[in-house]
Amino acid sequence: MTVPGGGRPAALEESRDDASRGARALVLDRTFGTLFWGKLLSSAGVWMQGVTAAIVVYEGTGSATAVSLITLAQALPQLVLGPWSGVLADRRHPARQIVLGRMLCVLGSGLLAAFFATVDPGPLLLVGVVFACSLLVGTGFVIGGPAMQSIIPDLVRPSELHTAMTLNTAPLTTARIAGPALGAFVLGWAGPAASFAVSAATHAVFVLLLVLVARIPHRSEGDRGTAVSMRAGLTYLRAHPRLWVMLGATALLGIGTEPSLTLAPALSESLHGNVLLAGPLTLSFGIGSLAGLLGTPVLRRWATVGQAAWIGLLTMIVGMGLVAALNSPAWAFACFGVAGAGFSWGMAGFSSLLQSETDRGFRGRVMAWWLVAFLGFRPLSASTTGLITDLLSVRAAFAVSSAALAVCAGLLGLALWRRSPPTRFH
């Protein structure tokens, strides 16, 4: 990791004028590749933690409300600590921040492993301990998140940024598929203590890779050039309205992906008479996301980064909206897959634009707001669509959600059209 070091990685400095590297070369790069594979492993660990915690709490309490509290525990730190973490990311030691965050994840999952290995808890103790440890994992995730996102442009050449941001989306997508499956398998095979222990081990391995392999550059005073404060970050965002459009589009992507998780059981019951299709439906969204990532180079042959981003957002909205009009499990799987592909294109595109159009000294704070935008509205989306499902139907929830997203996307597109396009990233 070379935490005491400074400047950009030597290999990158020496070859910045060479031809752009492709995806294969980037994932094998000493620093970017370490972050890529470590993030993939650690993200799978976060999903393992989440699915294991949800299952053991529901089995121990029989309460869906208790499960929602555990979900809230992991999401709450994103909203409370995200902007503050972004301020730290714009200071001089992003590598240390990433390591600290993952160590907190190790501690949270490790404590749960030790707890379930030694205690047979009652419902109240079970919920209290899992809530506290999930809060610790969520805190670790948000402490390192903005730093991990904001350093990507420092590790690649400008011409490689879109490829790097597409790859940066891949661990989250792949982990969404592999993490829950691995968590459920280990839980069923060896119990909750083993599942939480494996989750802790994924974060520990990531820390070791960062310390022993990666060479993450420091931020010098010259890199910043401006006051590093939350107020300065908000002032910067107010002066750059295009960034608000990108953050708004990211929020729409986060809201749009939520029904694939929260409404899958109700949709399965509507289509199949029970909830057996809920898992495969959610999996189809993840598979579609992975297919979208693999198809990004094809899309980029005839579309700019910005066009690909908006195509992705609209594809996701249309895919989820069609669920309301169809009455076939096969079509539901197809719609979820299409929506997943659109999600990948949108996330990669808008993230690339946001990184490119943000000055280096403000990337940590801007990417902190990116995390808040992506995660902050999802609890509200989940509760709203759940209420519509209970009052009307699951199809109505998909229809209302997609219609609202389409209107918001149109307003964002209009706001962007009224601004002159940037000249430094296409």
Side-chain angles (χ1 to χ4, degrees):
M1 181 176 62
T2 316
V3 171
R8 292 166 68 82
L12 186 56
E13 286 289 347
E14 292 171 359
S15 58
R16 74 170 89 179
D17 294 328
D18 293 345
S20 299
R21 294 168 295 177
R24 182 176 180 275
L26 287 175
V27 298
L28 296 177
D29 178 77
R30 175 170 183 166
T31 300
F32 182 88
T34 297
L35 280 175
F36 174 86
W37 295 110
K39 186 177 179 181
L40 174 61
L41 187 64
S42 187
S43 296
V46 171
W47 278 98
M48 284 190 67
Q49 155 88 22
V51 73
T52 304
I55 292 173
V56 298
V57 168
Y58 188 78
E59 287 182 341
T61 65
S63 170
T65 301
V67 176
S68 69
L69 288 175
I70 304 307
T71 302
L72 177 64
Q74 284 196 205
L76 187 61
Q78 313 290 332
L79 302 177
V80 177
L81 300 178
W84 169 79
S85 180
V87 172
L88 292 183
D90 281 330
R91 296 186 187 276
R92 301 181 65 182
H93 301 291
R96 293 179 182 175
Q97 190 174 338
I98 297 171
V99 169
L100 173 61
R102 294 300 153 168
M103 287 302 297
L104 289 178
C105 292
V106 172
L107 181 61
S109 294
L111 287 174
L112 282 175
F115 175 73
F116 281 99
T118 57
V119 179
D120 184 15
L124 187 60
L125 179 61
L126 171 67
V127 173
V129 171
V130 175
F131 182 91
C133 292
S134 296
L135 194 65
L136 191 58
V137 171
T139 301
F141 193 78
V142 73
I143 284 178
M148 196 180 307
Q149 295 293 333
S150 65
I151 63 171
I152 298 300
D154 296 339
L155 307 180
V156 299
R157 303 163 194 139
S159 58
E160 299 167 346
L161 182 57
H162 183 62
T163 301
M165 292 310 300
T166 301
L167 291 171
N168 194 50
T169 307
L172 296 177
T173 300
T174 307
R176 179 174 177 167
I177 300 172
L182 182 60
F185 172 77
V186 177
L187 177 63
W189 175 57
S195 186
F196 286 121
V198 173
S199 177
T202 63
H203 303 301
V205 171
F206 189 15
V207 170
L208 289 176
L209 289 173
L210 287 172
V211 172
L212 299 178
V213 180
R215 293 178 175 176
I216 298 176
H218 283 184
R219 302 249 169 87
S220 66
E221 295 290 336
D223 290 337
R224 293 183 289 172
T226 54
V228 180
S229 67
M230 195 179 303
R231 176 180 294 182
L234 290 173
T235 301
Y236 178 81
L237 282 172
R238 282 197 297 269
H240 297 78
R242 283 180 55 86
L243 298 182
W244 282 112
V245 174
M246 304 307 167
L247 291 174
T250 300
L252 295 185
L253 288 165
I255 293 171
T257 190
E258 190 62 35
S260 69
L261 295 171
T262 56
L263 297 186
L267 180 63
S268 174
E269 190 171 36
S270 172
L271 295 171
H272 197 250
N274 54 48
V275 298
L276 294 179
L277 292 181
L281 281 169
T282 300
L283 181 63
S284 67
F285 187 94
I287 293 174
S289 299
L290 184 59
L293 287 173
L294 296 176
T296 297
V298 177
L299 179 63
R300 286 285 290 118
R301 291 176 185 172
W302 56 271
T304 66
V305 175
Q307 290 169 346
W310 287 102
I311 288 171
L313 176 58
L314 295 178
T315 299
M316 185 195 70
I317 294 173
V318 170
M320 300 308 285
L322 285 176
V323 173
L326 303 173
N327 192 29
S328 164
W331 278 111
F333 285 125
C335 290
F336 269 50
V338 168
F343 170 76
S344 290
W345 295 334
M347 280 295 288
F350 287 118
S351 298
S352 298
L353 291 171
L354 199 64
Q355 291 274 20
S356 173
E357 296 183 28
T358 301
D359 293 327
R360 189 181 187 191
F362 289 94
R363 282 189 191 134
R365 282 161 287 180
V366 171
M367 295 313 294
W369 287 110
W370 176 86
L371 284 173
V372 171
F374 180 58
L375 298 172
F377 294 95
R378 295 179 70 176
L380 177 62
S381 170
S383 61
T384 302
T385 54
L387 181 61
I388 294 173
T389 298
D390 292 337
L391 294 178
L392 299 175
S393 69
V394 66
R395 297 180 186 280
F398 275 100
V400 171
S401 175
S402 297
L405 289 175
V407 171
C408 292
L411 294 175
L412 286 176
L414 179 62
L416 187 64
W417 176 75
R418 295 175 62 182
R419 305 283 172 183
S420 58
T423 58
R424 53 177 165 161
F425 190 71
H426 299 283

